[in-house]
Each structure stands twice: as structure tokens, then as C-alpha cells.
Amino acid sequence: MLHKTYAPTPPMGWNSWDCYGAAVTEKEIRCNAEYMAEHLASYGWEYVVVDIQWYEPGANSSHYRPFVPLETDEFSRLIPAVNRFPSAADGKGFRPLSDYVHSLGLKFGIHIMRGIPRQAVHNNTPIKGSAATARDIAHTNSICPWNTDMYGVDASKEGAQAYYHSLFELYAEWGVDFVKVDDIAASRLYDTHTSEIELIRNAIDNCGRPMVLSLSPGPAPVDYADFLQDNANMWRMTDDFWDLWPLLLDMFDRCDKWQGRPGPGCWPDCDMLPLGHIGIRSVDGGGADRWTRFTREEQITMMTLWTIFRSPLMFGGELRDNDEWTLSLLTNKDVLEMHRNSSGARQIMREDGKVVWSADGTDGVKYAALFNTGDSASHVSVTLEQMDLQGAAACKELWTGSKTEPLQDTLSAHIPAHGAVLYRIELL
């Protein structure tokens, strides 16, 4: 399947939601792209993603204004709000912005909602490439429970595929490399919207431009794993993830359920990294303008779990405000090497707040992630035999760079509450 070649390793980038909600501006996108190009691109970070409601002129936070006028073109398609994205004027859409992101050596992404704008349905506007109209293809009983922008599309109707073809034809013209589709992987009201996922897959395959397809929100059902692999590159395992310890603790269960599925072009997604300066205009997650509420130990735990599991990495904070600590989490070459090139990640032990994951590297290398999810410091141990290793081994902790004495039988570490250590192990 060609789409699996679009993301051979887990995508890495920045998404505007955690800091700007629905209200990000073109200037903020450009400035974060410039930071990524200067400080992160050499480490593999490449996607710059404009999240939800870039077509809503009055968006001012992460709270959606219901049933307000949206910017659309003559073919029932949403287009950027010019007051927030000035370069989109005169029908240029996102092409000037994507050209700028590409000029920095990066890739450009957008968020869309499943379906067709309610506004287009009420106005019964045309669909490009079809005699059908917006009203003809709308599934007016298929709605999003948390956003009023769209009706679902009835895949059985003449014109449904034409509508999605026209969308992705437009996105190809804009130079889009990554599309995050929301209200589709899981729903509070419905099952996974498989018929619209198939319409989108067909549209990307026919638009003439490779685009990574990310599906939200979660939790996407594990029962649909084969279908998701056949149609998407990323799919969320969780609802929106925020900087709260219970949500991070819960992610151990979700990664356990999805282990064995990450692989080239197919990435179960732990969601964005709520690190650094977040909540600037996004008030979701129980907090306003703030630095992440995760302790440093919890930040290491999150980064360790995301990278050994090989989740996509989408940073959520305002990049320009990164301090030295936050930047260090994103630029650890040894950790990112594991994230890019390891395989076979698996949970090999979980009991009494102690968790161990292992993964295979290249040339006989093994990785071991030891977690203490308890509320007090504790020793966590794993035997070399549990990791399918026999004989003495050299061991390096990747976050600190420290090397241990050669291992004979057991790897053990004293780990603070909610903390983690990550080792690269190689037989001597």
C-alpha cells in the first residue's frame, strides 16, 4: 500500500492546539516553523501543523463558537480566514504559507473536521466535479457532539466521493503534506466512521500528492487495527491528552493494548506532547496559560514511553519559549535513534507500580525502559534473560548519558516517583 511509504518512521512535528487552541495566527505558525528549522530539523522534526478552525474568523480560544459564519469557497470547501492568515487573500489559500514552511526545509500540515460544512448544506452550494450539491450528500444526523461546523457525508450518495476528491485536490494545490482528520477515529455518538475514512483514503490516493493521514480523536478501537493500518498512517489511542498524571498513567494500558502494531507507515498515536509553554489561548485540559504541569520526572516518563512505543511525536508548546530543559527532551540523539529505528517494543513486566518495556535495536542492540509509576521512589529491575539476552552486556542510560558497570544478569535502577530510566544495552 503506497500510503505506508509516506511515513516510514513515526512523524515528528509541532501542532498549534495545545498552546493556541482554535485561534492560531499565520505569524505564530511562521515563527514556530522558523524555530523548528533552526533548532529541531536536524534532529528529525519536520511537520508544522495548523490545528482546528483556521476557517473561523472570530476564533479566540479552544472554545468553539457555535453556528458562526465560516469561510468557504464556491464549491462547499472551507478556506483560511484572511484576517488570521493574511497570505491567503485573493484565493491563494494556504499555498503561500506552505511555500514558506517548505522554504525552511519543513513540511506543512492542517487539521480538518470530518464531513461537509453545515453552512454549505444550508446554502446548498455546488460540489466540484459533480452535479450533486452539498445538501445531496450531507448526512444531517451524523454530527460532531463538540463542534457545530460540519455534517457528516453519506458515502452512499452520488457526489460524496467527488466532494472528498475536490477537498484533497485543493489541499494538493496548497502543498499540504499532512492532514489530521478529526471526529472520525472514534465518536461519543457513533462507531468509527469507516465509510468516510475510505472516501478520504481514495481522495488522497487520487490527489497526486503524498499526504500523511492522521485520524482523531481516540480511543480508536483495537478491533479496527487492520482497517486503520490499511487506510491511515496515524490514529489516536486516546482522547485529548493533557499534562495530568492520571492521563499519563492510563497511557501504559493503552500502549499495552496496541503493542505489536507500530511499524512503517502505521503508527498508533499517544497524542501530542503537552510540554513547555502551553495554554496560551487553549483552555482545555483544566488550565489556562501555563508551563506544563508535569514534573521533570513525569516529562521523562512521557518521552520514554512515547519513544520506545514509537508513537508519533507532536510537540504542543510554544517553541520560541522553550527553556534548555525542554529543548533537551526534544534533541536527545540516542533517544531519537531508538524512536526512529527500533522495533518490537513490548511490555515485559508490570506489577506494583513497576513497569518495564523492551525493544530491539539494530546490530543486536536492546533497549530497556524502566518506569516507577508509584508515588514514592523505588527500585525497578529486569533480568537480561527477560530481554532475550545472554552474557555480559554494556549499558548506557540515554537521558543522562551515564554508563553502568558491565551487566551480568540483572539491570536495576533506583527511580523517583513517576520517573523513568532508559537504557541502551549491547552484548560484550
Side-chain angles (χ1 to χ4, degrees):
M1 294 180 180
L2 185 61
H3 76 273
K4 292 186 179 181
T5 66
Y6 300 163
T9 59
M12 299 167 57
W14 176 82
N15 179 293
S16 60
W17 173 256
D18 282 2
C19 47
Y20 294 113
V24 72
T25 66
E26 179 170 351
K27 181 179 180 181
E28 288 157 346
I29 296 294
R30 287 175 178 257
C31 290
N32 276 275
E34 291 162 3
Y35 180 100
M36 182 180 290
E38 181 178 356
H39 299 283
L40 296 175
S42 62
Y43 295 90
W45 299 84
E46 58 179 345
Y47 291 98
V48 176
V49 182
V50 183
D51 210 83
I52 194 168
Q53 284 200 325
W54 37 264
Y55 44 80
E56 211 278 70
N60 55 26
S61 74
S62 55
H63 290 162
Y64 310 114
R65 302 190 309 147
F67 304 109
V68 295
L70 309 174
E71 296 295 327
T72 59
D73 70 5
E74 69 273 27
F75 294 118
S76 308
R77 302 175 297 190
L78 295 163
I79 57 175
V82 173
N83 66 318
R84 293 170 51 201
F85 298 92
S87 70
D90 302 319
K92 295 185 180 70
F94 272 132
R95 187 73 209 202
L97 182 54
S98 78
D99 283 347
Y100 182 70
V101 171
H102 293 150
S103 77
L104 298 173
L106 305 173
K107 295 180 179 179
F108 180 71
I110 61 173
H111 171 293
I112 66 172
M113 294 292 292
R114 170 186 70 90
I116 189 164
R118 292 193 193 204
Q119 176 176 303
V121 175
H122 297 162
N123 294 333
N124 204 25
T125 46
I127 293 169
K128 187 176 182 181
S130 175
T133 64
R135 193 171 299 166
D136 293 329
I137 69 168
H139 191 332
T140 55
N141 289 326
S142 180
I143 60 173
C144 175
W146 43 267
N147 178 281
T148 62
D149 294 345
M150 315 294 273
Y151 286 125
V153 166
D154 187 338
S156 69
K157 295 295 182 66
E158 182 69 28
Q161 186 65 72
Y163 167 70
Y164 272 113
H165 278 323
S166 75
L167 278 189
F168 284 86
E169 175 187 277
L170 180 64
Y171 302 157
E173 292 171 1
W174 287 349
V176 172
D177 306 295
F178 180 106
V179 179
K180 174 183 173 182
V181 185
D182 214 335
D183 188 40
I184 199 165
S187 172
R188 299 173 193 169
L189 299 178
Y190 316 99
D191 199 357
T192 300
H193 294 279
T194 56
S195 61
E196 287 196 73
I197 292 172
E198 290 173 332
L199 293 176
I200 291 167
R201 175 76 270 144
N202 291 335
I204 296 176
D205 291 344
N206 283 277
C207 77
R209 184 178 181 83
M211 296 183 197
V212 171
L213 176 58
S214 169
L215 303 179
S216 289
V222 177
D223 290 347
Y224 286 86
D226 291 340
F227 173 84
L228 294 167
Q229 288 185 186
D230 288 345
N231 288 279
N233 301 107
M234 297 166 48
W235 53 90
R236 284 260 294 276
M237 308 189 307
T238 177
D239 204 344
D240 285 3
F241 178 82
W242 284 105
D243 48 332
L244 298 167
W245 172 249
L247 298 181
L248 179 50
L249 182 61
D250 178 63
M251 199 59 66
F252 284 91
D253 291 333
R254 297 180 188 274
C255 289
D256 184 24
K257 290 177 183 177
W258 280 97
Q259 65 178 300
R261 288 293 182 172
C266 306
W267 307 108
D269 181 12
C270 294
D271 199 17
M272 286 181 284
L273 300 164
L275 293 173
H277 186 190
I278 59 176
I280 297 169
R281 291 196 294 278
S282 182
V283 295
D284 274 16
D289 193 340
R290 66 189 184 280
W291 281 74
T292 183
R293 292 171 296 199
F294 282 140
T295 66
R296 288 196 172 188
E297 289 77 15
E298 290 165 351
Q299 292 174 55
I300 290 290
T301 289
M302 178 177 62
M303 289 297 298
T304 301
L305 183 60
W306 266 236
T307 53
I308 198 166
F309 178 77
R310 303 189 77 199
S311 169
L313 301 179
M314 289 289 167
F315 186 81
E318 168 52 73
L319 287 171
R320 292 170 290 173
D321 294 339
N322 279 351
D323 57 10
E324 184 177 348
W325 164 261
T326 305
L327 183 60
S328 74
L329 295 175
L330 310 181
T331 56
N332 185 305
K333 292 182 178 180
D334 289 332
V335 174
L336 294 176
E337 162 69 19
M338 176 193 70
H339 179 247
R340 232 179 340 261
N341 296 318
S342 64
S343 62
R346 57 206 176 272
Q347 179 179 285
I348 59 177
M349 187 268 283
R350 184 176 184 182
E351 58 185 29
D352 299 327
K354 302 173 183 181
V355 186
V356 177
W357 277 71
S358 180
D360 303 322
T362 57
D363 299 324
V365 166
K366 295 280 186 178
Y367 294 99
L370 280 58
F371 303 92
N372 174 20
T373 63
D375 294 331
S376 58
S378 181
H379 275 88
V380 181
S381 299
V382 61
T383 66
L384 297 186
E385 184 179 6
Q386 285 176 288
M387 293 183 288
D388 300 321
L389 286 171
Q390 293 182 344
C395 187
K396 177 184 178 182
E397 206 287 314
L398 300 187
W399 291 114
T400 63
S402 62
K403 297 181 180 180
T404 69
E405 293 294 324
L407 302 177
Q408 299 298 327
D409 301 303
T410 302
L411 174 63
S412 181
H414 186 70
I415 305 175
H418 299 185
V421 289
L422 177 60
Y423 293 101
R424 183 184 189 272
I425 304 167
E426 190 170 7
L427 289 176
L428 294 172

